[in-house]
Amino acid sequence: MANRQRKRAQNIIRCFKKAAKLHLIYLVEQKISKIRKSIENTQAPSFLTYEKGKLKVLDSISKNQLLKIEFEQLMLSINTAQISFHDYNNHLDRLLNQIHVISI
């Protein structure tokens, strides 16, 4: 009898761990959609322009363009498995905080 209770408890713990992982993945997807929504209208930064045959280097970029660059780099690094999922989640939180600071 104790053996059945132990197996049941282990199954509950295992299911809880799986549900926690699925919830974390769901939260990450929500964060990604919020970031994409906020930077979707941001133009891609251009560092070089040509005027009358001359090369002109731009001095600055906007904060939204910087966020777009950081987000693209983050997506590239998670797709190539260069960072852990925990670091990826933390970096998404930082990007969301930066978006919140910019919008205020």
Side-chain angles (χ1 to χ4, degrees), residues 4-17:
R4 278 190 210 160
Q5 290 175 348
R6 181 180 173 137
K7 286 181 181 179
R8 186 168 188 268
Q10 287 174 341
N11 284 339
I12 290 171
I13 291 170
R14 186 176 31 246
C15 289
F16 179 74
K17 286 181 182 179

Side-chain angles (χ1 to χ4, degrees), residues 5 12 27 31 34-36 40 47 52 54 58 60 86-87 92 102:
Q5 290 175 348
I12 290 171
L27 289 176
K31 291 175 188 179
K34 286 179 185 178
I35 293 172
R36 281 191 176 142
E40 70 185 352
F47 299 106
K52 298 179 184 176
K54 293 185 179 179
L58 297 180
S60 63
H86 182 69
D87 292 337
L92 284 174
I102 290 171

Side-chain angles (χ1 to χ4, degrees), residues 25 32 35 40 52-53 63 84 88 100:
I25 291 170
I32 289 172
I35 293 172
E40 70 185 352
K52 298 179 184 176
K63 290 181 181 179
S84 68
Y88 174 66
H100 179 68

Side-chain angles (χ1 to χ4, degrees), residues 9-61:
Q10 287 174 341
N11 284 339
I12 290 171
I13 291 170
R14 186 176 31 246
C15 289
F16 179 74
K17 286 181 182 179
K18 289 179 182 178
K21 288 178 185 177
L22 290 174
H23 184 67
L24 181 63
I25 291 170
Y26 174 73
L27 289 176
V28 166
E29 290 297 322
Q30 282 185 330
K31 291 175 188 179
I32 289 172
S33 66
K34 286 179 185 178
I35 293 172
R36 281 191 176 142
K37 186 185 239 184
S38 67
I39 63 174
E40 70 185 352
N41 294 331
T42 304
Q43 294 179 348
S46 58
F47 299 106
L48 302 173
T49 58
Y50 296 96
E51 292 181 10
K52 298 179 184 176
K54 293 185 179 179
L55 176 67
K56 185 177 182 181
V57 178
L58 297 180
D59 291 334
S60 63
I61 58 174

